């Protein structure tokens, strides 16, 4: 049949062969592009049902553009925390407040309005519920679900080991910020908003994280409690760790860890880590198929956050990575103290134990 069609339209066989070769190259390139993207994010695609997850329910969020600056995050977080730590009858929920404000500014908090916030607080203090206030806001549920996915593990109840004036320690129950900066306390770093910048190693692509420049060996901290999903070498990220939050919504990616000794002792895939734990050490590995190679020009931690609303978004072109620059700025107020517990291996551990409720 194909030969009859070829003869009927009088296509030169050499031209047809060239077209088929070009078509094959396009398909092959697309395949390797998909795999390369997964390698870049620290994950590898395996073509099976569990990875592809042909979900019957396609009603889930496909994209999030997170544009809340750190000053607003800190202001709204303080309202939430203060209301829970005081005797106030009204307990604010920072995700609800941020979602309301996003409806007013189109999700761009460069247009943050203190007057809009004051009006909302006045209504809440006068007895109205957030459900009543937002019932006619078309996009409130979208923003609430999106911001819950980003910030869901950042504020809540926890207990942390505290040292008294005599040097003794005890656990103190608190309500507040329970996520940690990925750089340990008393270690310096610098960063700028480089999300979306161009990268060329392997293939031309955009930067899906924030680079935190620091000294080799700086202890790297688990921002949030979660399960280690990926651990080992990746040609783009070098020695890297991928941790999924306990609610399954956030995937944290820590890359370019130190040569020879990248990880804290005892880490294996499938283990659970606690927010504030030391998980590894800053380095400059990566950009090499060969393992344990320093091909990054400047020592830094690549830190990224992926949002997952459906398991089909774990790998490939459906991945949602957000700009975490302002999240890093926000988390500067909560850093984990560490100390060297093994002088031979030069391993560090957290100084104060931590429990979540």
């Amino acid at each position: 049949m194909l030969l009859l069609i070829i003869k009927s339209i009088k296509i030169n066989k050499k031209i047809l062969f060239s077209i088929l070769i070009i078509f094959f190259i396009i398909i092959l390139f697309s395949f390797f592009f998909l795999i390369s993207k997964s390698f870049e994010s620290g994950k590898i695609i395996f073509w099976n049902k569990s990875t592809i997850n042909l979900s019957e329910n396609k009603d889930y969020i496909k994209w999030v553009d997170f544009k809340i600056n750190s000053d607003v995050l800190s202001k709204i977080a303080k309202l939430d925390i203060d209301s829970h730590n005081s005797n106030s009858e009204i307990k604010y929920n920072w995700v609800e407040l941020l979602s309301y404000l996003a409806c007013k500014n189109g999700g761009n908090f460069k247009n943050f309005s203190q007057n809009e916030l004051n009006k909302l607080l006045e209504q809440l203090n006068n007895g109205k519920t957030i459900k009543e206030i937002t019932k006619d806001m078309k996009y409130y549920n979208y923003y609430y679900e999106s911001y819950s996915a980003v910030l869901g593990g950042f504020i809540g109840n926890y207990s942390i080991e505290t040292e008294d004036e005599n040097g003794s320690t005890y656990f103190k129950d608190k309500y507040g910020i329970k996520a940690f900066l990925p750089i340990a306390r008393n270690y310096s770093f610098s960063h700028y908003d480089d999300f979306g910048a161009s990268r060329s190693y392997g293939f031309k692509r955009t930067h899906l994280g924030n680079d935190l420049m620091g000294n080799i060996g700086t202890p790297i901290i688990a921002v949030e409690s979660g399960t280690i999903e990926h651990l080992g070498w990746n040609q783009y990220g070098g020695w890297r760790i991928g941790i999924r939050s306990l609610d399954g919504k956030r995937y944290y990616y820590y890359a370019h860890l130190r040569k020879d000794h990248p990880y804290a002792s005892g880490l294996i895939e499938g283990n659970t880590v606690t927010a504030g734990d030391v998980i590894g050490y800053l380095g400059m590995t990566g950009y090499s198929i060969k393992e344990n190679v320093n091909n990054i020009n400047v020592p830094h931690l690549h830190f990224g956050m992926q949002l997952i609303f459906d398991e089909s978004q774990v790998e490939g072109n459906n991945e949602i990575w957000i700009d975490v620059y302002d999240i890093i700025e926000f988390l500067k107020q909560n850093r984990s103290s560490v100390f060297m517990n093994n002088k031979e291996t030069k391993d560090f551990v957290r100084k104060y134990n931590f429990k979540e409720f």
Side-chain angles (χ1 to χ4, degrees), residues 34 37-43 45 62-63 208 306-308 312-322:
L34 188 61
K37 184 171 182 180
S38 295
F39 270 112
E40 180 193 12
S41 62
K43 297 172 282 188
I45 291 178
K62 309 295 194 303
W63 183 250
L208 299 177
Q306 179 189 6
L307 303 182
I308 302 170
S312 64
Q313 297 174 311
V314 170
E315 310 281 6
N317 291 327
N318 294 325
E319 295 175 15
I320 301 174
W321 295 87
I322 64 167

Side-chain angles (χ1 to χ4, degrees), residues 19-33:
I19 292 172
L20 290 174
I21 291 295
I22 292 171
F23 178 75
F24 177 75
I25 290 172
I26 291 172
I27 295 296
L28 193 62
F29 176 80
S30 300
F31 174 76
F32 281 109
F33 175 82

Side-chain angles (χ1 to χ4, degrees), residues 13 22 107 120 204 207 222 224 256 274 287 289 299 342 346:
K13 290 183 180 180
I22 292 171
L120 173 59
K204 190 173 182 180
H207 190 229
E224 189 180 346
H256 306 312
T274 301
Y287 285 13
I289 296 175
N342 190 322
K346 297 184 179 180

Side-chain angles (χ1 to χ4, degrees), residues 280-336:
Y281 304 97
L282 188 148
M284 51 193 300
T285 60
Y287 285 13
S288 173
I289 296 175
K290 185 179 179 181
E291 288 190 2
N292 204 35
V293 172
N294 282 335
N295 267 346
I296 302 297
N297 292 329
V298 179
H300 70 272
L301 170 71
H302 170 100
F303 175 71
M305 183 196 290
Q306 179 189 6
L307 303 182
I308 302 170
F309 298 95
D310 183 87
E311 288 302 302
S312 64
Q313 297 174 311
V314 170
E315 310 281 6
N317 291 327
N318 294 325
E319 295 175 15
I320 301 174
W321 295 87
I322 64 167
D323 188 343
V324 293
Y325 173 82
D326 281 293
I327 288 175
I328 294 296
E329 287 294 298
F330 171 75
L331 290 176
K332 282 181 176 180
Q333 60 193 297
N334 198 38
R335 304 182 69 169
S336 183

